[in-house]
Amino acid sequence: MTHANGPTDQPALTVTSHDTQPHARVLSVTGDIDLHQLGPLEHALAEALRKSPPLRLLVLDLTAVGFCDSSGLNVLLKARQETEAHDIELRLVSPGVVIRRLLQVTGTAALFSLYDDLAQALA
């Protein structure tokens, strides 16, 4: 399933969802995560939390994300809070330099499990 949204002057944010195991889902995010393009990511995260049977692992593959602003960080923090409340492990894959810097500057890097590639995150 793919969700897309965004103004025409920048690439649309898309989120592709696929289950890798009965209790694991990968959300592959492509584009920029900013205030104007949060909808697809928020929708995909909400849908993942409603999954039946319930998830045990949710992986956000950020390999193709070029930019993330503070509103995107807030979505990631909310996802962490909600997954924790539902006893779901949240893992971030390949957060680029911009996202890593955002996590470091805000002191939130330690809140997330970061992985270099999808295979590691699913192991």
Side-chain angles (χ1 to χ4, degrees):
M1 176 176 304
T2 301
H3 305 279
N5 187 32
T8 57
D9 61 332
Q10 66 187 120
L13 179 72
T14 60
V15 181
T16 304
S17 172
H18 62 278
D19 293 341
T20 59
Q21 305 160 17
H23 299 284
R25 178 169 288 178
V26 175
L27 300 179
S28 298
V29 185
T30 301
D32 293 342
I33 306 172
D34 63 24
L35 178 62
H36 303 289
Q37 300 197 96
L38 296 175
L41 182 56
E42 290 173 322
H43 180 77
L45 287 165
E47 191 174 278
L49 291 172
R50 289 191 304 265
K51 183 182 181 326
S52 183
L55 292 177
R56 292 190 192 130
L57 174 63
L58 179 60
V59 177
L60 293 180
D61 185 351
L62 304 173
T63 304
V65 173
F67 176 77
C68 181
D69 68 7
S70 60
S71 58
L73 174 61
N74 284 332
V75 170
L76 295 177
L77 291 169
K78 182 179 176 187
R80 182 191 175 276
Q81 183 179 34
E82 290 180 6
T83 54
E84 191 173 79
H86 289 88
D87 200 27
I88 300 168
E89 185 174 354
L90 177 65
R91 297 177 181 177
L92 305 183
V93 174
S94 293
V97 175
V98 172
I99 295 174
R100 285 183 188 269
R101 178 78 176 136
L102 183 61
L103 294 173
Q104 290 170 348
V105 167
T106 59
T108 57
L111 298 176
F112 295 96
S113 297
L114 306 177
Y115 293 81
D116 291 330
D117 61 54
L118 189 55
Q120 288 178 346
L122 291 172

